[in-house]
């Protein structure tokens, strides 16, 4: 598949802790298909159910700010979705429900997770998540740490975005062309 940003065939499928994503080896952007989602398993994921991370949770905070690059799957325009005052922008395809995440957006999400983890009393096993996020931010090139967190963040995003998709579709449907 072509990277929607770089416009050349750069996307490579990688498997991270059971999450399949396509990653562009140049810009570091991530694409995931709806078919790759495994929501039933996500529901049982301890990391996710305990992490009350307010990202795309509150439907009233969802904002669509127009069209973006084209979907690598079907060529339809992706729509930019923003959530509240988080400044995290993701691109979604209304047709295939795929999600595109720029590398910078992933970094922002990880930063927010880090703040969340630092600011609250969290279960013991999530303390490790906090430490690993700190390590990831300090060593962005560290592949193992990076991939582990991408997996956690991806699962969270997949779960939230897919569960909010009907609302996002509704917002997009009333946008002027
Ligand atoms: Zn790229
Ligand atoms: Zn699509």
């Amino acid at each position: 598949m072509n990277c929607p940003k770089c416009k050349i065939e750069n996307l490579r499928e990688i498997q991270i802790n059971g999450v399949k994503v396509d990653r562009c080896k140049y810009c570091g952007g991530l694409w995931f298909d709806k078919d790759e989602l495994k929501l039933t398993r996500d529901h049982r994921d301890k990391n996710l159910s305990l992490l009350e991370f307010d990202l795309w949770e509150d439907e009233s905070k969802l904002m669509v700010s127009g069209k973006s690059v084209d979907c690598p799957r079907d060529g339809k325009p992706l729509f930019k979705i923003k959530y509240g005052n988080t400044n995290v922008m993701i691109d979604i395809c209304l047709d295939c429900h795929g999600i595109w995440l720029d590398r910078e957006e992933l970094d922002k999400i990880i930063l927010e997770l880090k703040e969340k983890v630092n600011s609250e009393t969290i279960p013991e096993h999530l303390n490790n998540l906090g430490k690993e996020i700190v390590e990831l931010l300090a060593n962005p090139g560290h592949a193992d740490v990076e991939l582990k967190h991408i997996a956690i963040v991806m699962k969270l995003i997949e779960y939230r975005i897919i569960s909010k998709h009907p609302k996002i579709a509704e917002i997009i449907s009333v946008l002027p062309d």
Side-chain angles (χ1 to χ4, degrees):
M1 262 196 311
N2 284 3
C3 169
K5 289 272 146 112
C6 305
K7 312 279 188 203
I8 48 172
E9 202 183 326
N10 273 344
L11 295 185
R12 297 283 177 272
E13 188 179 290
I14 50 173
Q15 278 253 21
I16 315 154
N17 298 349
V19 182
K20 269 200 269 176
V21 292
D22 293 284
R23 179 151 79 157
C24 175
K25 59 182 174 178
Y26 292 113
C27 68
L30 296 165
W31 170 260
F32 39 98
D33 288 312
K34 193 198 175 195
D35 291 349
E36 293 166 354
L37 304 182
K38 301 198 171 41
L39 286 180
T40 46
R41 196 191 51 213
D42 285 347
H43 279 302
R44 284 184 262 122
D45 191 302
K46 262 188 2 185
N47 279 323
L48 289 192
S49 56
L50 291 171
L51 195 64
E52 291 297 320
F53 186 45
D54 179 32
L55 188 65
W56 298 300
E57 200 169 34
D58 180 354
E59 290 189 354
S60 67
K61 292 187 189 171
L62 286 168
M63 284 168 285
V64 178
S65 65
K67 289 175 186 173
S68 171
V69 292
D70 292 340
C71 176
R73 251 325 148 205
D74 49 45
K76 301 274 170 55
L78 301 178
F79 285 89
K80 295 188 102 45
I81 310 291
K82 197 169 142 17
Y83 181 82
N85 56 5
T86 60
N87 284 321
V88 176
M89 195 89 82
I90 63 156
D91 301 328
I92 74 161
C93 177
L94 210 51
D95 285 11
C96 70
H97 296 197
I99 299 163
W100 172 255
L101 203 59
D102 286 332
R103 175 70 224 205
E104 314 88 79
E105 305 303 328
L106 180 67
D107 291 343
K108 285 187 213 163
I109 292 169
I110 290 169
L111 261 173
E112 296 217 12
L113 269 169
K114 177 179 170 253
E115 279 168 22
K116 183 75 181 173
V117 166
N118 285 343
S119 66
E120 287 180 20
T121 310
I122 52 169
E124 184 69 26
H125 74 279
L126 282 182
N127 276 322
N128 292 327
L129 173 62
K131 284 177 200 140
E132 285 161 11
I133 290 173
V134 172
E135 195 181 335
L136 169 62
L137 291 166
N139 307 288
H142 193 311
D144 293 342
V145 178
E146 179 184 20
L147 291 183
K148 196 171 174 192
H149 282 93
I150 288 175
I152 294 167
V153 173
M154 285 296 100
K155 281 188 189 177
L156 190 72
I157 294 166
E158 283 180 341
Y159 175 69
R160 290 283 161 77
I161 290 298
I162 295 311
S163 62
K164 298 303 175 200
H165 201 280
K167 180 64 185 178
I168 293 169
E170 188 189 311
I171 297 169
I172 292 172
S173 70
V174 297
L175 284 182
D177 270 341

